[in-house]
Amino acid sequence: MRIDVISLFPEFVAQCAAFGVTGRAGERGLLQLHGWNPRDFAQGNYRRVDERPFGGGPGMVMMIDPLRAALQAAREADPRPTRVIYLSPQGVPFTQARARELATRERMVLLCGRYEGIDERLIEAEVDEELSIGDYVLSGGELAAAVVIDAVARLQEGALGDDQSAVQDSFEDGLLDCPHYTRPVEHELGQVPPVLMSGNHAQIARWRRLESLGRTWRRRPDLLDEAALSKTDRALLDAYRARLAE
Ligand SMILES: Nc1nonc1C(=O)NCc1ccc(Cl)cc1
């Protein structure tokens, strides 16, 4: 997958993707990242990319033309068509389901704003989708872009070693993840649930599913409504609730 990032700090986003799974995805050719800085496309002696807002008020607004020229350069750098995603708190909430959908695309352009905003005419003319990674305000879209890149990169075929299947992520089926344990078995902080050392894979899978269901029910009941629960899931959850009611 090719991802073009439009940002005043493209190296910032590149660094976020340079480590771990995303770094390896790059080395394996599963992910090609390209940064484009609107300042390189700004005209005039001062190469302005921002200006005072019409209507007054604090801060600055990013100008249309440098962004538009950077977007055009990104589009033209590869013959394949692409959609443009703008990261902002005004966007549609980013979810694992959305990450899965984006991960199937050949390309995407991520537009990162700074200052108080981007001239709305650029958004209307060039942006296909607006995405939010959460209801809070960051100082720019770059960290949000890095989050989207990470979530999409790890879903690329071959990005994770076969011992870390992305499919096992509980969020893949809309539930919270189960607890995890590793050596040592005995520790002053407590025990490892015996079932995990039983070698009984059916029981282990059942325990993990029960823990995911129970956690989701306790911590994020809103997710439970969305999740597609099997009959077995519902029976497990009833057993979990019954045990708590004892
Ligand atoms: N929350 C979020 N989810 O996606 N992006 C954000 C966010 O806070 N961006 C900051 C931002 C976005 C655009 C501009 Cl012009 C300036 C600052």
Side-chain angles (χ1 to χ4, degrees), residues 145-167:
V147 162
V148 172
I149 290 167
D150 189 292
V152 165
R154 62 188 298 279
L155 293 176
Q156 297 300 304
E157 198 60 44
L160 297 176
D162 34 15
D163 63 343
Q164 311 164 274
S165 153
V167 179

Side-chain angles (χ1 to χ4, degrees), residues 86-89 113-115 117-118 131-134 136-141 144:
Y86 174 47
L87 291 308
S88 93
R114 283 266 155 175
Y115 309 109
I118 286 180
L131 271 185
S132 168
I133 62 164
Y136 39 78
V137 181
L138 303 169
S139 50

Side-chain angles (χ1 to χ4, degrees), residues 40-78:
D40 296 337
F41 297 87
Q43 304 299 323
N45 303 344
Y46 301 96
R47 301 205 301 165
R48 290 201 71 91
V49 293
D50 63 314
E51 270 292 359
R52 309 273 316 136
F54 282 122
M60 306 295 274
V61 173
M62 293 188 82
M63 298 164 74
I64 297 170
D65 285 336
L67 287 171
R68 195 168 180 224
L71 277 164
Q72 194 55 27
R75 287 183 198 278
E76 288 169 359
D78 186 298

